[in-house]
Amino acid sequence: MNSTTDNETILRGVLDRWKAGVDSHEPEQVAAQFTEDAIFQGLRPYSVGRPGVAAYYDSQPLGMAVAYRILETRRPADHLVLGYLAADFSFADRPTVGLTLGVLVERTDEGWRIGHYQVSRLA
């Protein structure tokens, strides 16, 4: 299971649950999509672990939603999938913010989870 289609299926499984939590402003649901020791880099200083992820998304405004598109995938090992994405974060009261997102998802005892997340603004 190393094809681009398989990699995208794995990524979508995790990222669709992440998106559902972001869109419904459920920070604990978002954090549950990450490993216990995930490195998380949003648009402010990084954190390690689910509590930091939950705090980050809890601080986001109500009404924020995300749409993503997978641009590239790689399979560095059988239990890892690397994804590079375009992500548009929309808000009720301000313009949409387009970002790029790199994720490394890992197969864990809980299923596939995000072990590394890094977002960037590209000019």
Side-chain angles (χ1 to χ4, degrees):
M1 184 164 152
N2 286 324
S3 73
T4 299
T5 302
D6 294 334
N7 294 345
E8 288 187 9
T9 298
I10 291 167
L11 287 172
R12 287 186 198 291
V14 176
L15 294 170
D16 285 353
R17 293 188 307 267
W18 164 77
K19 175 187 173 13
V22 170
D23 292 356
S24 62
H25 195 77
E26 296 289 337
E28 294 300 328
Q29 179 183 338
V30 174
Q33 305 318 308
F34 288 76
T35 62
E36 293 287 345
D37 63 348
I39 299 169
F40 178 85
Q41 176 66 64
L43 290 177
R44 55 181 184 250
Y46 82 98
S47 64
V48 176
R50 289 178 177 164
V53 174
Y56 181 87
Y57 283 102
D58 190 42
S59 73
Q60 298 303 314
L62 292 174
M64 183 179 84
V66 63
Y68 73 87
R69 186 170 31 88
I70 297 171
L71 302 173
E72 294 288 337
T73 69
R74 300 289 185 273
R75 181 67 76 92
D78 285 342
H79 67 288
L80 299 172
V81 178
L82 177 67
Y84 183 65
L85 319 160
D88 292 324
F89 290 85
S90 59
F91 303 88
D93 61 348
R94 59 184 158 188
T96 296
V97 176
L99 302 170
T100 54
L101 176 61
V103 295
L104 183 65
V105 300
E106 328 176 357
R107 187 175 33 237
T108 71
D109 291 341
E110 298 176 298
W112 291 94
R113 297 291 184 264
I114 302 166
H116 183 265
Y117 174 108
Q118 185 163 1
V119 70
S120 300
R121 289 185 200 256
L122 295 180

